[in-house]
Amino acid sequence: MQMRKLSVIFVLLFSIFFFNHAEADAAGSSQLIIINKKTNTLAFYDSGKLVRTFKVATGKTRNLTPEGKFRIVTKIVNRPYYKGHIPGGDPRNPLGNRWLGLEARGTYGTTYAIHGNANESSIGKYISHGCVRMHNNEVRWLFSQVKMYTTVIITYSGSSFDAIAKANGFNVGVTNGWVQSNGHQFYYENGIPKTGWMILGGKTYYFEKTGEMKKGWMILGGKTYYFEKTGEMKKGWMILNGKTYYFEKTGEMKKSWMILLGKTYYFEKTGEMKKGWMILNGKTYYFEKTGEMKKGWMILLGKTYYFEKTGEMKKGWMILLGKEYFFDQTGVMKKGGWLITGGKTYFVDQNGVVKTGWVQIEGKWYYFNPKSNPIGIMAVSTVIDGWNIGADGARLE
């Protein structure tokens, strides 16, 4: 009778142990972590697909970080560093704030682990006493994704992660699509990372020879391109650090002249859109705050200028709608007063129009020739309409 009771108890205990472990194994069976010490890189698989890879730090010597097949058996937030009497969550804690304990070398998640760090610059190096260190923000992400009892393979190999997984009996599919690795984005086709140009969903991307998705500026074949943080190639207008740029439909950054929707713009060699004054090939132009090249009349700081249809600032004489104007070498139009140029004298009204015929100025009459070239030369020492003109141009009464 006593023996029968003991047998029943044994069967119950065995059943509990077996089913608990079966459930535990099932919990992490869809996931896999591979740590390759040769490259100090960790790969995380879920449902047979490579999800992300991360740079890690491992043991100072190869034997310190155990190699083999292990399981995650503890998940701890803010684990204290008992040896150094540093509480969990303390920035000085070399374990960081996440601990994924491994069942390794006769220990059960208490000695070896994948964890954070107190020195971000150590990641990627052979520096630990046996644990696997990760960047704190990355281990937090992994901690939130990985399940208890997930298998962890630690090796030192020149093989790919897929090959390591298959060699250890894991069925992983050919990697396709986006993969994030060490903070960089990659795109896989049939297990091979994409390089060069790629159009996906109507958006254009570029991948380096390493497979890394391009972000920011790129010069290729003498042409300049820009890629957003999402990797999408920029087209059209872009404002960056207060400077304005324009990219063609091909993605090429615009330089020099551009006409868009009937408006003219100019872009420096750096691609920066021109604003304000510009002298090019001895000609002067002005561009609005919008970058649009100025044409026609402009008043700036109380001074009047005129720009041709070509955008060139006017200098010297100009006849417009039958009226004559004069602009000095700085482009400023002469207004309201005497003008002496080329040894000849003229008079200009407040609107900048050169006067012709008889004009009374400060009580004296003067005559400005309407048929001269240029129009409006003041007559001197002559007779006009029966009136004698003095050497100073004033009519003698």
Side-chain angles (χ1 to χ4, degrees), residues 358 365 381-390 393-397:
W358 289 104
W365 287 93
S381 303
T382 188
V383 177
I384 301 293
D385 295 337
W387 293 95
N388 290 317
I389 307 296
R395 189 172 73 184
L396 300 175
E397 299 295 336

Side-chain angles (χ1 to χ4, degrees), residues 303-376:
K303 298 178 180 180
T304 303
Y305 303 83
Y306 188 85
F307 298 87
E308 305 278 11
K309 290 181 179 180
T310 61
E312 182 182 351
M313 183 185 74
K314 191 66 184 178
K315 297 177 185 179
W317 295 101
M318 178 183 79
I319 296 177
L320 183 66
L321 301 177
K323 297 178 180 179
E324 190 169 42
Y325 304 87
F326 183 83
F327 302 85
D328 65 21
Q329 289 303 300
T330 66
V332 177
M333 184 183 75
K334 180 67 180 178
K335 292 182 186 179
W338 295 101
L339 168 66
I340 300 175
T341 180
K344 306 294 183 180
T345 303
Y346 307 81
F347 191 82
V348 183
D349 69 15
Q350 292 297 323
N351 296 315
V353 178
V354 175
K355 299 298 291 183
T356 59
W358 289 104
V359 179
Q360 189 177 36
I361 303 170
E362 296 179 351
K364 296 181 180 181
W365 287 93
Y366 299 84
Y367 186 82
F368 299 93
N369 192 344
K371 296 182 180 180
S372 64
N373 187 18
I375 296 171

Side-chain angles (χ1 to χ4, degrees), residues 54-224:
F54 309 90
K55 291 302 290 183
V56 296
T58 54
K60 292 180 181 179
T61 58
R62 182 172 169 179
N63 66 305
L64 285 174
T65 300
E67 296 178 16
K69 189 183 293 186
F70 314 101
R71 295 189 308 163
I72 292 174
V73 292
T74 58
K75 292 179 68 176
I76 303 172
V77 176
N78 293 332
R79 184 183 190 276
Y81 183 55
Y82 299 109
K83 185 177 178 180
H85 304 291
I86 301 175
D90 192 308
R92 299 170 301 151
N93 192 323
L95 307 179
N97 52 31
R98 295 294 186 276
W99 172 278
L100 295 167
L102 303 178
E103 184 180 23
R105 290 180 176 172
T107 65
Y108 198 78
T110 57
T111 305
Y112 298 96
I114 302 167
H115 60 72
N117 72 89
N119 179 14
E120 294 283 350
S121 65
S122 68
I123 306 305
K125 300 176 182 178
Y126 298 103
I127 199 170
S128 78
H129 295 293
C131 284
V132 178
R133 297 183 191 175
M134 294 180 66
H135 286 296
N136 289 317
N137 64 320
E138 293 180 343
V139 75
R140 284 194 292 270
W141 181 90
L142 183 63
F143 187 95
S144 70
Q145 301 296 313
V146 74
K147 300 173 184 177
M148 283 284 286
Y149 308 109
T150 291
T151 298
V152 177
I153 297 170
I154 303 179
T155 185
Y156 188 94
S157 172
S159 300
S160 68
F161 284 119
D162 284 358
I164 294 170
K166 290 174 182 178
N168 283 271
F170 287 86
N171 184 22
V172 294
V174 175
T175 302
N176 282 297
W178 292 103
V179 173
Q180 185 172 353
S181 177
N182 304 322
H184 301 295
Q185 288 288 117
F186 298 80
Y187 191 87
Y188 281 78
E189 290 182 344
N190 297 319
I192 300 173
K194 184 74 178 176
T195 59
W197 294 102
M198 180 182 79
I199 297 175
L200 183 67
K203 298 177 180 179
T204 304
Y205 303 85
Y206 187 85
F207 299 87
E208 304 279 13
K209 291 180 179 179
T210 60
E212 179 185 338
M213 182 185 74
K214 189 67 184 177
K215 298 178 185 179
W217 293 103
M218 178 182 80
I219 298 176
L220 183 67
K223 299 177 180 180
T224 303

